[in-house]
Amino acid sequence: MNAPLREPSFRESVDLMFNRAIALTNIPEGLKEKIRVCNSTYTVRFGVRLRNHIYTFTGYRSVHSEHMEPVKGGIRFAMSVNQNEVEALAALMTFKCALVEVPFGGSKGGLCINPRDWEEHELELITRRFAYELAKRDMINPAQNVPAPDMGTGEREMAWIVDQYRRMNTTDINAAACVTGKPLNAGGIAGRVEATGRGVQYALQEMFRHPEDVTKAGLSGGLEGKRIVMQGLGNVGYHAAKFLSEEDGALITGVAEFDGGIVNPDGISIEDLKQHIVETGSVKGFAGGTYVENSASVLEEECDILIPAAMEGSINMGNVDRIRAPLIVEAANGPVTAGADEALRGRGVVIMPDLYVNAGGVTVSYFEWVKNLSHIRFGRMQRRQEEAQNAMLVTEIDGLLKKAGMSEGLSEKFKQDYVRGAGELELVRSGLDDTMRTAYQSMREIWNSREDVPDLRVAAYLVSIDRIAAGYKSKGL
Ligand code: GLU
């Protein structure tokens, strides 16, 4: 397929990418169309009385595919929200869930609002009213449609939503599972806030376990010392940058934010920069790097890995010629337009696609939903039993070593580390790591074995499409 002449819309971009992949399958035409289309989009306009005035808000909940239920996807609060965007995001949720074997269909919601325009108590009223409109039509429901945070929303909004649902469904014993990304004290799970960023880290770690794949991007070695430019220091970008720099030794040489960027070839301290943003509301004046007014130009800096973790369309036909990174890791949804994607592939740039890279959020959402339905924290039953068993083993070995004349036995540090049973956070991380590794392996197998699959995005779509098609076939539509 040739590069589009004009910049496609987000929805068109997702379709173009999907079409490139599905063309390589022998799925019957009718089923291809069924998998591509968005099943339904509900638009709601509701009024809320605030500041002695009735304000009307417009919101959406789009369901892309119900081959598995519940359907899953975040709710975004932003002025840019529109039907086209919500539908594109819902489609991505379908493919994302299938790729990482999370048993959900795809959905997405959005409210056209600038959260910064409103006080907290006003936002609560607006969120609750939106939740009411969705819940009464079963578009928030533990068995049918389970929202989560997205841009402009977080734990706070999810707590309001679950409470609103409970008020409307007082006898639903599974009410907590109607939404994920809740605070721990409202039925959330340890590790959900950091999950998407953690998933980005695990995705890169897994790629770097395969030197042949790293070579395809013209890189070599491990993550240590790799120069990373991060676009966006929101929840996803912040956690990804923090973990990659603090735990893997990568250098964050550039950060692009909405009001400017920071560059530093020796690496930026993400904790210090975040602290500065929290204190001053801006990256301006940060002492740990050079301030760049034109934030978009930071994406064009020379680096090893570029991680767009902000909005869709940030790498487009307007700036693609100036992008210099050999490896792009799509932490945001849809950050590379179909036109830019075509151009980058033409230049041999390797792109780790969004439906894989940012799947950590929905993966841990799945764990949270399971936790809510089982009404028990992960690890609660087995942790101490595991510890007791481990302690027995350690004591025995320690005794034998001493008997054999090794007077020191096992070190105290080893004993402590080994004995410790896994709590919820450790289990969540282990489940997420396993998910990201397995999904990468399913993509790379196709990427490395099929001549007609030139890139990871097509490989990712092929894995997903295959599973969705199987789902529809066994269901009989
Ligand atoms: N909004 C996130 C995403 O785009 C999370 C969705 C979820 O957890 O359901 O993947």
Side-chain angles (χ1 to χ4, degrees), residues 147-297:
D150 199 77
M151 250 173 63
T153 56
E155 288 189 322
R156 180 183 66 174
E157 287 72 16
M158 301 307 116
W160 292 331
I161 293 174
V162 72
D163 187 65
Q164 184 63 34
Y165 178 87
R166 263 189 221 286
R167 289 184 191 191
M168 297 165 71
N169 300 274
T170 49
T171 57
D172 185 347
I173 195 169
N174 292 321
C178 79
V179 66
T180 58
K182 304 176 292 291
L184 256 184
N185 63 10
I189 193 167
R192 174 61 184 87
V193 175
E194 62 169 52
T196 314
R198 188 61 83 183
V200 176
Q201 177 197 27
Y202 289 160
L204 265 167
Q205 284 179 350
E206 181 56 17
M207 179 183 220
F208 276 79
R209 284 190 194 101
H210 302 278
E212 322 84 273
D213 297 1
V214 177
T215 311
K216 288 194 185 190
L219 298 171
S220 59
L223 279 168
E224 174 123 34
K226 289 283 174 299
R227 298 161 305 161
I228 297 182
V229 167
M230 181 68 68
Q231 185 206 21
L233 219 53
N235 181 39
V236 181
Y238 161 66
H239 284 107
K242 178 179 164 69
F243 300 146
L244 286 163
S245 56
E246 292 177 5
E247 297 173 15
D248 298 298
L251 297 176
I252 310 297
T253 51
V255 169
E257 264 283 79
F258 66 97
D259 61 339
I262 299 290
V263 291
N264 183 345
D266 299 326
I268 298 162
S269 158
I270 293 303
E271 239 357 276
D272 290 354
L273 178 57
K274 187 71 183 176
Q275 197 55 35
H276 180 84
I277 296 173
V278 169
E279 278 162 20
T280 67
S282 165
V283 295
K284 243 182 239 172
F286 176 62
T290 310
Y291 174 71
V292 182
E293 195 169 337
N294 176 11
S295 133
S297 71

Side-chain angles (χ1 to χ4, degrees), residues 72-76 89 93 96 104 108 146-151 180-181 192 196 333 358-366:
K72 190 87 188 73
I75 291 185
R76 177 173 286 201
L89 291 165
M93 285 309 304
K96 195 186 300 189
F104 298 141
K108 199 81 174 199
V146 183
D150 199 77
M151 250 173 63
T180 58
R192 174 61 184 87
T196 314
N333 285 309
N358 71 36
V362 76
T363 300
V364 177
S365 275
Y366 167 47

